[in-house]
Amino acid sequence: MAKTDFVPTQAGFAQVGTTFSRNFLAIAFFMVDIAVVTGASSLTGMIYHALAYNDSGPFGLFLSAGLSTAVLFGTFGVLAGEYGYARYLSYRTHLSSVFRFWNLAFLSFLLILFVLKSSEVYSRGWFILLYFTCPLALVSGRYVLVRLVTTASRLGMITGHRLYVFGGKEDIDAFLKRYQPWDLGVRVVGTGTIEEPMGRDGQTSPAGFGAPEAANLRRAVEAARQLKPDSVFIALPWSDAAVIDQTVKAFSLIPVEIHLSPERILERFEEVNLVRRGPIPSLQLARLPLSPVEIVLKRCFDLVFASCALLALSPLMLIVAVLIRLDSRGPALFTQRRFGFNQQPFRIYKFRTMRTQDDGDVIRQATRDDPRVTRIGRFLRRWNIDELPQLINVIKGDMSIVGPRPHALAHDREFEAKIGLYARRHNVKPGITGWAQVHGFRGQTDVDAKMEKRVEFDLFYIDNWSLWLDLKIIAMTVFHPHSYRNAF
């Protein structure tokens, strides 16, 4: 049988007197960006002229330039769907989108001035100041808006997306518990549960619904029609193809979006897209880590950076090598087998910091106050100096400056068996430093949770690579205190 449960409120929705529609908010988001760009243009113009020329400058020109650039910025945002309500429930993508649209708007404005032969009326110094100041103002404004929107959504002050969930009771409960849509500004207006036709083995009948179940489904559709949701989510196992087919066909009779709730496996991937190559549709769980152009760009950056660093640091590395030889018996350099790109083995170079040089099937990780670590080795490990010879690995092509840190082969085999998607770390070249390391996830992994966190950050890096992210990680490696945490 089918049953519809009315859910007028959810945990986190406190009914308040004032509510705002999503269309109103989209206009408000657009107007805030217009105001921020226009205000930043006028303010920077006056400040620059006050400092450079001891006057307030042509305020009208600053205002018109700001308004023109703001309209261009807003137009690009509208065309890209930037002002949708759901975009302001998370701050995650705003930084990249602001800089992308700002560059387009600023360059377009300069092109218009060039065509109109009007650029000479503006100060070059002000142009430079505006270019760097305005994105910071926009990013700050977006941060404030996201905080306001998420708070208002939880208080029920926004008429959020209306959702109706239909499926098996356990599937619905699992969906709501797992995603808690009310925290995303989504209001669950009702749920429809259905007892699916079962065979003797307890599985759904491959024929789908019988006549009684079909009648119950029609009643659930009519209930959803009265609730007027924006979307219907079908919470059924994807293997129940016949049941899903009939359910989709039934809900297609009312004007709503129809979604198939995600299977658990999709939670393991950051970006899942429906792609079509000719007549073949598929669910893309992961993209190529780097495009051919990105591979060339990253390799060129690695070669230039590693060569310059090796040249600049060679006197320091020579001194370190001498100190290691004086401190204990053994070579200055230590090599060990590691897995690189596509799990191809290579030998990594490091300054020797221990009295042992293990490279077998069992390797004991370094621990705090490990007696195997030499006196000079303790200092080198504390300040990451032992990693400098890996610049040679970068030039050889075994490694990159930034990427997931490579582990000993014995540890790779151990954690690959324990942690799902662990081996996906090898979809890019390993790095001297990485996103996990600059967040403090380095050192001993005596419990699986530590390695799971490291893998989580490594996979984020793979899915979100950019040259700017590499530069940020390099800067954090040198200056951020987390980069030196757990270094022993």
Side-chain angles (χ1 to χ4, degrees):
M1 60 178 294
K3 182 183 70 162
T4 297
D5 301 313
F6 294 90
V7 189
T9 59
Q10 290 289 343
F13 274 92
Q15 299 302 306
V16 296
T18 303
T19 59
F20 302 96
S21 72
R22 282 168 284 160
N23 290 336
F24 169 81
L25 289 174
I27 296 172
F29 298 150
F30 176 83
M31 295 306 298
V32 167
D33 277 356
I34 297 295
V36 168
V37 176
T38 305
S41 173
S42 304
L43 189 60
T44 54
M46 290 190 296
I47 291 174
Y48 177 78
H49 270 258
L51 295 175
Y53 305 109
N54 202 29
D55 62 57
S56 60
F59 179 79
L61 285 178
F62 300 142
L63 183 64
S64 61
L67 187 58
S68 300
T69 313
V71 170
L72 288 168
F73 179 86
T75 301
F76 289 129
V78 169
L79 294 176
E82 183 74 3
Y83 298 106
Y85 161 70
R87 290 272 294 116
Y88 286 79
L89 294 170
S90 170
Y91 187 68
R92 180 175 176 181
T93 59
H94 284 283
L95 185 64
S96 60
S97 65
V98 162
F99 279 93
R100 183 169 67 252
F101 296 133
W102 172 246
N103 284 327
L104 286 173
F106 191 80
L107 291 175
S108 298
F109 179 65
L110 291 182
L111 180 60
I112 292 172
L113 292 181
F114 174 78
V115 171
L116 297 178
K117 298 182 179 180
S118 303
S119 58
E120 64 274 4
V121 301
Y122 295 100
S123 167
R124 295 177 184 175
W126 170 69
F127 269 137
I128 295 173
L129 182 62
L130 177 65
Y131 177 77
F132 288 104
T133 302
C134 204
L136 299 178
L138 284 164
V139 167
S140 300
R142 294 284 182 91
Y143 177 78
V144 173
L145 284 175
V146 168
R147 295 297 298 268
L148 290 174
V149 169
T150 51
T151 300
S153 295
R154 290 191 177 95
L155 294 175
M157 297 176 65
I158 298 173
T159 55
H161 194 87
R162 295 169 60 83
L163 176 66
Y164 181 86
V165 187
F166 178 83
K169 187 178 186 310
E170 291 184 2
D171 295 317
I172 292 175
D173 291 342
F175 172 80
L176 295 178
K177 182 179 180 181
R178 193 155 62 241
Y179 296 105
Q180 300 184 10
W182 42 87
D183 285 341
L184 304 174
V186 176
R187 183 176 182 184
V188 181
V189 296
T191 60
T193 58
I194 188 165
E195 293 182 5
E196 301 161 356
M198 307 297 285
R200 290 184 179 180
D201 57 356
Q203 300 298 316
T204 302
S205 168
F209 296 125
E213 290 81 11
N216 289 331
L217 175 60
R218 285 195 297 270
R219 284 193 287 272
V221 171
E222 288 304 315
R225 190 193 303 275
Q226 299 302 316
L227 291 170
K228 296 183 175 60
D230 298 304
S231 299
V232 170
F233 263 63
I234 300 173
L236 290 170
W238 289 9
S239 57
D240 294 347
V243 174
I244 290 173
D245 184 61
Q246 293 185 38
T247 303
V248 170
K249 188 175 181 179
F251 277 102
S252 297
L253 300 176
I254 58 177
V256 294
E257 296 177 4
I258 300 176
H259 299 265
L260 191 59
S261 68
E263 292 277 72
R264 279 248 172 133
I265 189 174
L266 301 185
E267 298 174 17
R268 296 165 60 181
F269 299 90
E270 282 288 326
E271 296 182 11
V272 178
N273 298 300
L274 184 64
V275 299
R276 185 180 292 273
R277 288 180 174 85
I280 305 174
S282 64
L283 198 62
Q284 184 186 57
L285 302 180
R287 68 174 182 89
L288 280 172
L290 298 176
S291 69
V293 173
E294 291 171 333
I295 291 173
V296 173
L297 179 63
K298 187 170 174 64
R299 180 59 180 154
C300 290
F301 172 77
D302 285 340
L303 282 173
V304 172
F305 189 95
S307 299
C308 293
L310 195 59
L311 185 64
L313 296 172
S314 54
L316 172 63
M317 295 173 67
L318 180 60
I319 294 172
V320 169
V322 172
L323 291 175
I324 292 172
R325 294 299 303 272
L326 293 174
D327 182 54
S328 61
R329 297 180 60 182
L333 289 180
F334 164 63
T335 66
Q336 191 178 66
R337 293 173 301 159
R338 304 285 172 97
F339 277 138
F341 175 69
N342 202 22
Q343 289 191 311
Q344 297 301 306
F346 72 99
R347 286 201 168 271
I348 194 172
Y349 298 109
K350 300 182 71 173
F351 280 125
R352 183 177 59 83
T353 58
M354 289 187 172
R355 296 179 177 84
T356 61
Q357 301 182 58
D358 297 337
D359 191 22
D361 294 332
V362 178
I363 298 177
R364 183 160 63 92
Q365 291 184 340
T367 58
R368 191 177 299 276
D369 300 323
D370 196 315
R372 297 174 298 168
V373 179
T374 63
R375 288 176 299 173
I376 185 66
R378 202 171 305 281
F379 175 82
L380 298 180
R381 296 171 74 93
R382 176 67 182 85
W383 299 104
N384 301 325
I385 299 173
D386 60 319
E387 313 287 1
L388 292 182
Q390 289 161 42
L391 292 168
I392 300 172
N393 287 115
V394 174
I395 294 174
K396 290 177 61 180
D398 297 326
M399 296 178 64
S400 181
I401 296 294
V402 180
R405 283 291 300 155
H407 303 139
L409 264 58
H411 299 152
D412 266 335
R413 295 188 180 107
E414 175 188 353
F415 287 109
E416 188 175 341
K418 294 180 179 179
I419 301 174
L421 295 181
Y422 175 90
R424 193 166 170 252
R425 300 171 71 256
H426 303 298
N427 284 1
V428 296
K429 289 182 181 180
I432 298 177
T433 184
W435 189 237
Q437 280 63 42
V438 297
H439 284 84
F441 297 106
R442 54 170 297 175
Q444 185 183 12
T445 51
D446 49 339
V447 294
D448 292 348
K450 292 182 179 180
M451 182 59 78
E452 288 172 355
K453 203 66 180 177
R454 186 183 299 182
V455 171
E456 177 186 332
F457 275 76
D458 287 338
L459 296 186
F460 174 87
Y461 171 80
I462 292 172
D463 291 330
N464 296 275
W465 178 86
S466 70
L467 188 57
W468 293 113
L469 182 57
D470 274 6
L471 292 171
K472 177 180 179 179
I473 292 172
I474 292 171
M476 290 178 69
T477 300
V478 178
F479 300 109
H480 203 288
H482 285 173
S483 300
Y484 304 96
R485 183 191 295 173
N486 299 323
F488 47 80

